[in-house]
Amino acid sequence: GSEPWCCCRLPNLGATMGNAQCCTSADTGEDAAGEAMPKVETWPPSEVGPPGVTGGNTPAERMYKASLVKVEGQPLGMDVDFMAERSVLPILFVSGGIADAWNKEHPEAKISAGDAIVEVNGVRSVEGMLQKCKVDPVLSLTLIKCLTYGHLVQDLEKLISIKGCGPIMIRLAWHDAGVFNGVDGCPNAAMRLAGGGEYSFGANAGLPQVAIPLLKQISEKYVPRLISHADLWALAANVAIKVMGGPSIVTHFGRLDAQGLSEGAQSAAGRLPDADKDAQHLRDIFYPKGFTDKDIVALSGAHSVGACHADRSGFEGPWTDDKLKFDNSYFRDLLKKTWTKATAKNGKIQYVSGKTMMLPTDMVLIEDAKFKPYAEKYAADQNAFFEDYKEAWVKMQELGCGRLRDIL
């Protein structure tokens, strides 16, 4: 039969790939950050359940088998996409040959472009499956429906649109990557591991309980066959930004998932910002990560979406009038609205204007002489904000990572 087609790809970079070198934290102190960070809301109240995923909502619905018997002189008629970093062989297309004959005889188990082979004659490694496809006379295939990058993006778009959970997807990716302190900590999805560490950070309240379960159906389908949890969280945030009207952001892949608590940060101290502090505090947090004043202000613009809750952080309310629209309204509101200092029930200070609010770390963007010009620039020019945000956000998502790849 015809030999499977292989895509061009980056070479295997070994230890330099992904985040393998940054995932053991030397920080063993107590979580001094405690409950400092604002906890962004989950999603608007809704009785609508998760929307499901392409190809079927259970493994039994998504998985099927096919048996191809090679015939001398006839092509296999099925081309696959090989990449060593994957654990599946995605099917690029079926065209004539033995595979097409199977499809005509077995419409209930039709081999289709966009499906992926996960096992060939008992072998599950991609190199081994590829070799089996080349040399074995009979191929007993196990396949999964709709297992491509395009299907993954489609499933994320559907989840975010139906559940309105874009803001918490951004927060999940930001807190996964933002624990990097210039020395250790990295985007490795350690937050999903219960029992301590990042899972228990006060700053992460609601993320393990809400954001990660929202992704459950998607992660069960795609992780680890196509993508890691850490890469999925980064991609989900970027899809959310686009769905909510923000810029298109390129996602790079190759982050490695933490396999134990020791691979995550043990304390939030000095890693994530405290919402009731000053401009110097923001610099103390962000400068060691490699960010500039411009980056700090641009990243703050993500507060155009989401809201805070008093029962989680002590702060209450949305930053903008439309908490599911990613635009430059955060900066316009900062500069144009009249903000009145108010004391929350627990004694924390925030600033209010009608139904919207700002945190002390928001107000410093127009009070600090070096921050303010960037806030004014972004309020006047949304495109400028989007461009600077993209640059800073990609840097954030790749903190502590080695070389990542451009394709999944």
Side-chain angles (χ1 to χ4, degrees):
S2 63
E3 290 203 351
W5 178 87
C6 300
C7 72
C8 295
R9 64 190 191 281
L10 289 173
N12 189 336
L13 298 172
T16 62
M17 178 66 79
N19 48 358
Q21 299 181 71
C22 72
C23 295
T24 300
S25 173
D27 185 355
T28 58
E30 295 182 359
D31 180 7
E35 297 292 329
M37 280 291 291
K39 300 357 178 238
V40 181
E41 69 176 2
T42 56
W43 64 83
S46 171
E47 298 301 322
V48 178
V53 294
T54 51
N57 293 329
T58 66
E61 291 177 298
R62 294 189 292 267
M63 199 167 290
Y64 66 99
K65 292 182 180 293
S67 181
L68 305 182
V69 180
K70 292 181 180 177
V71 177
E72 187 174 354
Q74 290 189 26
L76 194 59
M78 179 178 67
D79 284 8
V80 300
D81 183 3
F82 170 82
M83 191 167 74
E85 292 81 3
R86 297 193 186 114
S87 61
V88 299
L89 291 174
I91 297 170
L92 293 172
F93 56 85
V94 176
S95 177
I98 298 167
D100 194 45
W102 166 270
N103 286 345
K104 290 176 181 177
E105 295 176 10
H106 303 87
E108 78 288 352
K110 181 180 180 181
I111 302 171
S112 302
D115 295 351
I117 301 170
V118 297
E119 184 177 301
V120 180
N121 294 350
V123 173
R124 294 192 173 187
S125 70
V126 287
E127 294 88 351
M129 289 192 293
L130 193 62
Q131 184 65 15
K132 289 287 184 181
C133 287
K134 291 178 180 179
V135 303
D136 284 10
V138 179
L139 305 179
S140 178
L141 309 176
T142 301
L143 304 99
I144 295 181
K145 300 174 184 176
C146 305
L147 198 72
T148 66
Y149 174 79
H151 290 113
L152 173 54
V153 171
Q154 181 182 339
D155 287 339
L156 287 169
E157 288 173 341
K158 184 166 60 172
L159 171 70
I160 291 160
S161 297
I162 290 175
K163 296 299 293 182
C165 58
I168 204 170
M169 292 297 121
I170 298 173
R171 181 172 166 245
L172 178 65
W174 141 228
H175 281 221
D176 187 37
V179 294
F180 180 73
N181 62 3
V183 178
D184 59 35
C186 62
N188 63 359
M191 205 188 309
R192 79 191 194 284
L193 303 174
E198 295 178 37
Y199 180 95
S200 301
F201 285 1
N204 291 339
L207 294 175
Q209 299 81 9
V210 176
I212 296 173
L214 274 169
L215 289 169
K216 184 177 184 229
Q217 280 191 318
I218 292 175
S219 62
E220 284 178 347
K221 178 183 174 183
Y222 294 98
V223 179
R225 290 187 174 101
L226 191 70
I227 193 171
S228 67
H229 288 283
D231 280 346
L232 174 61
W233 295 2
L235 178 62
N238 293 346
V239 171
I241 289 167
K242 182 63 176 175
V243 166
M244 293 187 291
S248 297
I249 299 176
V250 174
T251 308
H252 299 120
F253 303 99
R255 298 166 187 82
L256 305 177
D257 287 337
Q259 299 303 311
L261 291 174
S262 64
E263 295 180 26
Q266 302 304 301
S267 167
R271 297 178 184 272
L272 298 168
D274 188 330
D276 58 9
K277 294 293 192 295
D278 57 12
Q280 187 56 48
H281 170 74
L282 290 180
R283 294 186 173 101
D284 290 342
I285 293 294
F286 283 95
Y287 278 11
K289 303 180 195 296
F291 291 107
T292 64
D293 285 351
K294 180 183 77 170
D295 296 331
I296 293 170
V297 179
L299 289 170
S300 298
H303 284 172
S304 64
V305 298
C308 294
H309 285 267
D311 59 349
R312 298 179 188 175
S313 65
F315 302 104
E316 177 70 25
W319 283 274
T320 64
D321 293 317
D322 188 344
K323 53 195 174 186
L324 293 177
K325 185 177 182 181
F326 195 103
D327 59 13
N328 68 338
S329 59
Y330 167 78
F331 297 109
R332 289 188 276 108
D333 288 354
L334 261 177
L335 290 160
K336 294 181 180 179
K337 285 187 175 182
T338 299
W339 297 101
T340 302
K341 183 184 289 188
T343 303
K345 292 179 181 178
N346 66 353
K348 288 193 174 183
I349 299 298
Q350 64 181 60
Y351 297 81
V352 298
S353 180
K355 295 182 179 180
T356 59
M357 67 88 215
M358 293 286 171
L359 305 168
T361 45
D362 296 313
M363 298 305 296
V364 300
L365 302 186
I366 58 173
E367 295 168 349
D368 183 89
K370 294 182 179 179
F371 285 155
K372 187 174 182 180
Y374 296 112
E376 291 173 330
K377 174 184 177 182
Y378 301 149
D381 188 343
Q382 180 167 282
N383 288 334
F385 163 52
F386 280 4
E387 289 303 310
D388 288 352
Y389 180 83
K390 286 194 296 183
E391 180 183 353
W393 180 243
V394 170
K395 186 192 300 185
M396 171 69 75
Q397 288 194 316
E398 299 178 6
L399 289 174
C401 291
R403 184 178 176 186
L404 300 176
R405 61 184 185 269
D406 295 330
I407 55 177
L408 183 58

